[in-house]
Amino acid sequence: MDIQMIGAGSLGLLYAGKLAASGAKVTLWCRSDEQAAAIHSSGITIHHSDGGELHIPPGVVQAHPLSEFHEEAGAAADYLVLMVKQQGIEDLVERVFIPYGRSIQRCVCFQNGTGHLELLQQHLPSGAIYAAITTEGAKRIGPREVLHAGSGTTTIGPYNTEGMPESGQKSASREISDIRLIELLNRAGFKTYLSNEIYTAIYRKLMINAVINPLTALWRIPNGALLDDPMRIQLMKELFDEACAVYDAAGISREDHLWDQIVGVCRMTSTNTSSMLKDVLEGRATEISWINGSIVRLGQRHGVAAPKHELLCRLIEGTTK
Amino acid sequence: MDIQMIGAGSLGLLYAGKLAASGAKVTLWCRSDEQAAAIHSSGITIHHSDGGELHIPPGVVQAHPLSEFHEEAGAAADYLVLMVKQQGIEDLVERVFIPYGRSIQRCVCFQNGTGHLELLQQHLPSGAIYAAITTEGAKRIGPREVLHAGSGTTTIGPYNTEGMPESGQKSASREISDIRLIELLNRAGFKTYLSNEIYTAIYRKLMINAVINPLTALWRIPNGALLDDPMRIQLMKELFDEACAVYDAAGISREDHLWDQIVGVCRMTSTNTSSMLKDVLEGRATEISWINGSIVRLGQRHGVAAPKHELLCRLIEGTTK
């Protein structure tokens, strides 16, 4: 099975390493020459939180800089797996999908939200697109080393242009392709499910991120501190309610107890620094436009304003300028 | 002339020291026993930005902890000068104005905004209230030492319950009291004007603070960095426009070019840390409720929403919890 993976951040290193260890042929496309060279010469090391480690020797995962991506790589891939952040998708469209999109058969997207799926669809006329959501915990600790901080689950579902899971009859080849992907990931040690409600999972994660991330980033607090003060909880709740009105107008179904799930995530990850706060502290661009910005744009398309989410977008964008 | 001054922060030390040096009898009421003891034993030192200093020897300014404030102090004062922050006003009402308000003849208030004036009026049935705005630059560098960072101007105007400058005939005694106050401050070296448009000055300062302070505090940037990015300027402008709509509905006159003045303040104080950012960085409660909160409440009274100012209040309050 040929896996071409783009993006060697924490999740990229984790998935590439474990897939290769389970026997898949993995090529990893990195942002920098330096990172590709480090992986080429020393392999990948996955540290476990119990102190153990899994070392993938040099040469098992092929690593190259993304600038060298070529048509044959796209055509050879059984699955092209995108592990870049949302901010990187527009660049990928230019570098990979516009020139080589026609040769790509199956693309698996691990980004939050949905904006990137719509964008990629335009450049993958004949390819299958999968949306993936994972709760695996990974922390990058060097160009070729990652800490697997906690096991989670990976949910994968087919995406199509109607914006809803395919409801019609699947082709036999598509069905086989779906099953092989799930088996591949399970064999590599990732507890993975095929979902025909991937949208529910995507929008659940979007809601959780939209409520937690910008507030932790502006207040510069760990996730759990959101629950320290009734005023903070009240503002989270208002962001939640504003987004619920958008979801309802857009016909996006919500699970019961979604608010309780948000509170639960704050508790379970109470000492964690959200990815957005990390970006703010390190002066990097954040994912705000793909998280709260998605909710604002979704609302605009359905005639529902989300002024609090909108102001938060602009305050976060102003922070990192 | 007997001056009783409450609040020994940067402006309190500066005004108390210079008034005493010019011959006024000054009593300074401090928040802590320690600060009162330090001033009692070592006096006050005012450092000038050119390296010179003015030392007020021990015993020239009488310093006491506020907990010892008593009726005779209130009754003896020609002017009771309030140099505490807005946040301290409610505490002062409890400690000073409810028990001794009837004996106080004239009260001079150096706080921003107007909410405190309305509150004090209720507890000073027979006293004159003055609102004061100053652009003197002072930085506290110890319990009894202050840096006079830059000279400014002080504008003082009479306040009355109609919420507008007194337009009727002033009593002769009131006129004398006004003039003596201005003379007193000028003699101490503060360039001071009597204004019958103190409201314009108060609301100008309120607008400038409402646009600059919360954004610098959330973004953790010096004042000048607000102008570094068109997105930041755009958000400042929207806060300005939202507040202008409130001012217009409330019948508060605005000077022409107020927006240009805000931009000018950012330029002139470009390396300054706003007081609100200082409070946030040091984990203290901020003045947000008296600045942007004043605009929100003013809007509510006149049927105009100010949702951006309101969300900023809550984000700043959430920061310092």
Side-chain angles (χ1 to χ4, degrees), chain A residues 76-104:
Chain A
D78 288 300
Y79 298 95
L80 176 70
V81 181
L82 305 188
M83 286 294 192
V84 299
K85 287 196 179 180
Q86 282 98 332
Q87 300 95 303
I89 290 287
E90 287 181 17
D91 179 54
L92 275 194
V93 166
E94 293 294 322
R95 283 169 182 260
V96 173
F97 289 89
I98 289 178
Y100 315 123
R102 295 198 165 267
S103 65
I104 294 168

Side-chain angles (χ1 to χ4, degrees), chain A residues 33-73:
Chain A
D33 295 3
E34 292 72 21
Q35 186 181 19
I39 295 170
H40 181 77
S41 63
S42 309
I44 291 174
T45 303
I46 297 170
H47 299 270
H48 298 125
S49 47
D50 65 5
E53 63 175 52
L54 171 66
H55 182 63
I56 319 299
V60 174
V61 170
Q62 297 291 322
H64 303 289
L66 180 60
S67 56
E68 295 176 6
F69 194 90
H70 48 79
E71 179 144 22
E72 293 69 34

Side-chain angles (χ1 to χ4, degrees), chain A residues 208-225:
Chain A
I208 293 171
N209 286 335
V211 171
I212 292 178
N213 288 16
L215 295 181
T216 55
L218 282 174
W219 290 337
R220 306 192 184 211
I221 55 176
N223 296 351

Side-chain angles (χ1 to χ4, degrees), chain A residues 107-140:
Chain A
C107 182
V108 186
C109 301
F110 273 79
Q111 292 69 36
N112 292 324
T114 60
H116 60 292
L117 298 170
E118 295 166 23
L119 188 63
L120 291 174
Q121 177 74 33
Q122 300 167 27
H123 300 284
L124 275 186
S126 56
I129 298 182
Y130 294 90
I133 295 281
T134 184
T135 58
E136 294 290 340
K139 188 173 153 63
R140 187 178 182 278

Side-chain angles (χ1 to χ4, degrees), chain B residues 3-55:
Chain B
I3 308 295
Q4 304 282 331
M5 187 175 293
I6 302 181
S10 56
L11 285 177
L13 289 170
L14 177 68
Y15 277 76
K18 293 191 67 153
L19 281 165
S22 73
K25 179 168 178 295
V26 179
T27 306
L28 184 56
W29 300 91
C30 308
R31 190 157 43 182
S32 72
D33 294 2
E34 292 71 21
Q35 186 181 19
I39 295 170
H40 181 76
S41 63
S42 309
I44 291 174
T45 303
I46 298 170
H47 300 270
H48 299 124
S49 47
D50 65 5
E53 63 175 51
L54 171 66
H55 182 63

